[in-house]
Amino acid sequence: MTARTGQVALAAGAGSHGDRSLTVGLFLVVVAATLGVTLWASRQGKGTTDFYTGGRSFSGFQNGLAISGDYMSAASFLGVTGTIALFGYDGFLYSVGFLVAWVLALVLVAEPLRNTGRFTMADVLAFRLRQGPVRIAAGISTIVVSVVYLLAQMVGAGSLVALLLGVSGDTAKKWIVFGVGVLMILYVVIGGMKGTTWVQIIKAGLLMAGTLVLTVLVMSRFGWNLSALLGAAAQASGKGQAFLEPGLKYGASSTTRLDFISLGVALVLGTAGLPHILVRFYTVRTAKAARTSVNWAIGIIGVFYLMTLALGFGAAALVGHTAIKAANPAGTTAVPMLAEMLGGGPGSTMGATLLALISAVAFATILAVVAGLTLTSSASFAHDLFAQAMRKGRVSEVQEVRVARLAAIGIGALAVVLSMFADKLNTAALVALAFAIAASANLPTILYSLFWKRFNTTGALCSMYGGLLSSLLLVVFSPVVSGTPASLLPHSDFHWFPLENPGLVSIPIGFLLGWLGSRVSRETVDPAKYAELEVRSLTGAGAH
C-alpha cells in the first residue's frame, strides 16, 4: 500500500460529500463555541492582572483542567499514540516521561513560583537579580521555546486537518495553517488569559471524553482483557513478541539508546521549565490552589496516558501496522484511523461520525495549545521586554496590555509564516527541542535562583544564553537537520552530533554555566534579598 493509498483509506470515512460536511460542521461547532467563550471572557476585565492571569479567579480544579489542556497537545494525543501503535513497548516508554515530569514540577517549582512571581517566569528571576539583563534573557528564551512549540503544533495542524478533510497539496495546508493562526490570535487578543483558560478547560474535557469513548470501545472488543489486546497487537504488528519488549525503536544501537535517555531527560526536566506551563500557576489565588492544580493535572494526565496504552495497542491490533505506516510514517493518524475502524470501518455512517468527532477533538487540542503558547510569548514580550526592561516600569496597565495584544499579532504572524515554509519539519523533533531548550536554559536558572544563595545575575545570563545556544547549535549539527533521508536537508550532511535530542549534553551545560558564571563573577549578592525570597517562596508571605 502506498502512502497516498493510505491517505485515501483514512479519508474514506469522510470521503463522500455528506461525510466530509459532517467533519467540517463539527470543526465549525468547535470554533464557534470557543470563540463564544472568548468573547464572553473579554468582558470580564481589562487590566494586566486580567489579561495575564485571568484575574486569578480560577480554582485549583479549574486550573488543573487548564494545565492538562495546555499540556496534552496534539503531539501527545496523536504522536504518542502513533508511536505506541508502531513500536509497542518503546512507544509507551516514551509517554512515561511526560507523566513523570509532573512530579518534578509539583515538588520543585509549582508552589515557590506562585509565591514569588506575578505574571511571568522572569518575575521570579528579577526578584533578587538585576532586572534589565535578566528580563531580556528570560524574554528571549520564552519566545524561542514558544515559537518552536508553535511550529510543531501548526505544522501538525496543516497536515492533519488537510488529511482528515480529504484535501491535498501544499496550498491547502498553508491555508489551514493560516486559519489556525488567525484563530489563535483572536483567542489571545480578545480573551486574554481568561478566554484562553476556558478554551483549554473545554478542550481538556473534550479530549478526555473522546479518549475515554475510544478506550471503552477498544477494551470491549477484547472482552476487557488487556492480555488479549496486547497479544492481538503483537500479532498484527509483524514483530511478534518483540513488539511487547524494549528495544524495537530505541534499542537498535548504543546511539539510539543514548538518544532515548537524552529525550527522556529533556521531557522530565523540560516540563518544569516550559513558560506556557509555568504561567498557569499565576492564575490561582493561593499557593495551596497551585498545589491542588498540579495534583489534579497529575491525575488527569496520568489517566490520559494510561488510555493512550489502550488506543496505541488497539490501533496496532485493529488497524494494522502496514495501514498505519502507509497513511503516515510517524503514525500520527493512528487514532483517527482507529476511531473510524471502531465505528464500522471506511464507508460506514458510524465510522464517519467517530472519525469526525475525534478529528474535531484533535483540532480543539491544537487550537487550545497554540493559544496558550501565543499568550505566554506575547505576555513575556510586553511585561518583561517592553514594560520592565525598556520602559523601567514607567508604563500604564492599558499601554502594557495594548503592547501584549500587538505582540500576540506579531508573534502569531511570525509563527504562521514560519509554519507555511516548515511543513517538512519533524514535529516530534520540534516538540522535543522545545523541552530541551526549556530544561537547558530555564530550569537551571529557576532552581538556582530559588535555592542557591550565591547565584547572581552573571550566572543567570550564562545559564540562560548558554543553555539556549548550546541546544540550538547541537540540533543544527544533528541528524535532525542533515545526514539522513528523514533530515530537514536530506541531500546534505554536515552533522557531527550523533543524537537527535540535545538534552543529554545541553542540560548539563546550562547547569554548569550557571554555577561557573556565579563563582567566577565578582558581583555581590544581597543576602537579605535571598532571605526574603526564601521566606516568600516557602510560606507565600507577601505573594501577589
Side-chain angles (χ1 to χ4, degrees):
M1 182 186 287
T2 65
R4 179 64 189 151
T5 306
Q7 292 177 7
V8 173
L10 173 61
S16 69
H17 178 74
D19 292 339
R20 190 174 298 125
S21 296
L22 176 63
T23 305
V24 174
L26 282 170
F27 279 3
L28 294 177
V29 167
V30 169
V31 170
T34 50
L35 281 177
V37 168
T38 303
L39 288 169
W40 165 80
S42 68
R43 301 173 184 173
Q44 305 299 308
K46 302 296 182 183
T48 51
T49 301
D50 290 300
F51 189 82
Y52 294 148
T53 68
R56 297 194 171 90
S57 59
F58 294 97
S59 67
F61 171 66
Q62 289 171 332
N63 196 44
L65 269 175
I67 289 173
S68 305
D70 218 353
Y71 190 69
M72 296 184 300
S73 65
S76 299
F77 182 47
L78 303 173
V80 169
T81 307
T83 305
I84 294 172
L86 293 179
F87 301 104
Y89 181 93
D90 278 15
F92 187 63
L93 200 62
Y94 172 65
S95 72
V96 171
F98 287 100
L99 176 58
V100 173
W102 277 104
V103 179
L104 187 71
L106 173 63
V107 172
L108 291 180
V109 301
E111 187 177 347
L113 204 73
R114 166 61 189 80
N115 290 341
T116 54
R118 189 182 180 199
F119 295 141
T120 66
M121 173 185 73
D123 287 336
V124 178
L125 308 179
F127 188 87
R128 67 186 187 95
L129 306 177
R130 283 189 287 131
Q131 289 230 6
V134 165
R135 286 192 183 274
I136 291 171
I140 291 171
S141 177
T142 296
I143 291 170
V144 170
V145 171
S146 299
V147 169
V148 170
Y149 216 138
L150 268 174
L151 280 177
Q153 299 298 321
M154 295 181 72
V155 168
S159 301
L160 176 72
V161 178
L163 190 59
L164 294 171
L165 293 180
V167 297
S168 60
D170 291 339
T171 303
K173 290 181 182 179
K174 285 180 170 59
W175 277 111
I176 291 168
V177 167
F178 178 78
V180 171
V182 170
L183 284 171
M184 77 180 182
I185 291 170
L186 286 175
Y187 290 148
V188 175
V189 171
I190 296 173
M193 177 59 86
K194 184 162 287 187
T196 301
T197 298
W198 279 112
V199 169
Q200 289 161 345
I201 289 172
I202 292 169
K203 168 259 175 151
L206 289 173
L207 182 60
M208 291 300 288
T211 308
L212 180 61
V213 167
L214 292 185
T215 300
V216 169
L217 290 175
V218 167
M219 295 307 298
S220 63
R221 282 285 187 99
F222 295 92
W224 298 92
N225 187 329
L226 182 60
S227 180
L229 168 62
L230 296 178
Q235 185 176 359
S237 70
K239 305 292 183 182
Q241 187 62 25
F243 192 69
L244 306 178
E245 296 174 352
L248 198 60
K249 179 175 175 61
Y250 300 111
S253 66
S254 57
T255 301
T256 57
R257 286 192 284 271
L258 278 176
D259 219 344
F260 176 68
I261 294 172
S262 185
L263 175 64
V265 170
L267 293 178
V268 171
L269 297 180
T271 299
L274 285 175
H276 70 291
I277 298 296
L278 297 178
V279 298
R280 294 239 52 92
F281 299 133
Y282 298 133
T283 62
V284 292
R285 291 189 180 278
T286 64
K288 181 181 178 181
R291 289 196 305 274
T292 303
S293 300
V294 181
N295 286 332
W296 274 109
I298 289 173
I300 294 166
I301 293 167
V303 170
F304 170 77
Y305 280 114
L306 280 176
M307 290 192 290
T308 62
L309 175 67
L311 299 190
F313 283 107
L318 298 174
V319 180
H321 182 276
T322 304
I324 294 171
K325 190 84 172 178
N328 184 277
T332 304
T333 54
V335 173
M337 294 176 80
L338 174 65
E340 186 179 46
M341 190 64 67
L342 289 170
S348 66
T349 302
M350 193 61 186
T353 302
L354 266 180
L355 173 63
L357 285 170
I358 295 305
S359 303
V361 169
F363 190 56
T365 296
I366 291 167
L367 290 178
V369 174
V370 296
L373 289 164
T374 307
L375 176 63
T376 300
S377 51
S378 63
S380 185
F381 179 88
H383 181 64
D384 297 325
L385 299 181
F386 174 74
Q388 300 297 329
M390 294 168 58
R391 300 293 294 273
K392 311 297 183 186
R394 296 187 297 271
V395 58
S396 69
E397 288 195 7
V398 173
Q399 287 177 306
E400 189 172 331
V401 171
R402 186 184 299 125
V403 169
R405 289 193 166 107
L406 291 173
I409 295 171
I411 291 168
L414 174 64
V416 168
V417 171
L418 290 176
S419 300
M420 286 181 172
F421 295 98
D423 58 321
K424 298 297 188 293
L425 284 174
N426 185 316
T427 54
L430 284 172
V431 170
L433 174 60
F435 275 83
I437 295 172
S440 306
N442 296 346
L443 185 63
T445 317
I446 292 170
L447 294 182
Y448 280 146
S449 184
L450 287 172
F451 303 113
W452 186 27
K453 185 184 295 186
R454 291 194 58 178
F455 190 57
N456 57 31
T457 303
T458 303
L461 298 180
C462 289
S463 182
M464 275 192 282
Y465 287 128
L468 178 65
L469 291 174
S470 63
S471 52
L472 289 174
L473 284 174
L474 288 174
V475 166
V476 168
F477 294 105
S478 78
V480 171
V481 175
S482 70
T484 71
S487 300
L488 177 62
L489 303 174
H491 303 298
S492 301
D493 188 3
F494 49 84
H495 89 283
W496 50 263
F497 184 66
L499 307 182
E500 292 186 1
N501 190 282
L504 198 61
V505 176
S506 62
I507 295 171
I509 286 176
F511 277 99
L512 177 63
L513 290 178
W515 174 82
L516 193 62
S518 297
R519 301 291 294 189
V520 171
S521 171
R522 296 181 179 180
E523 180 185 352
T524 57
V525 178
D526 186 351
K529 269 291 183 184
Y530 176 75
E532 184 182 349
L533 177 71
E534 187 176 35
V535 170
R536 179 175 289 191
S537 67
L538 295 176
T539 66
H544 296 287

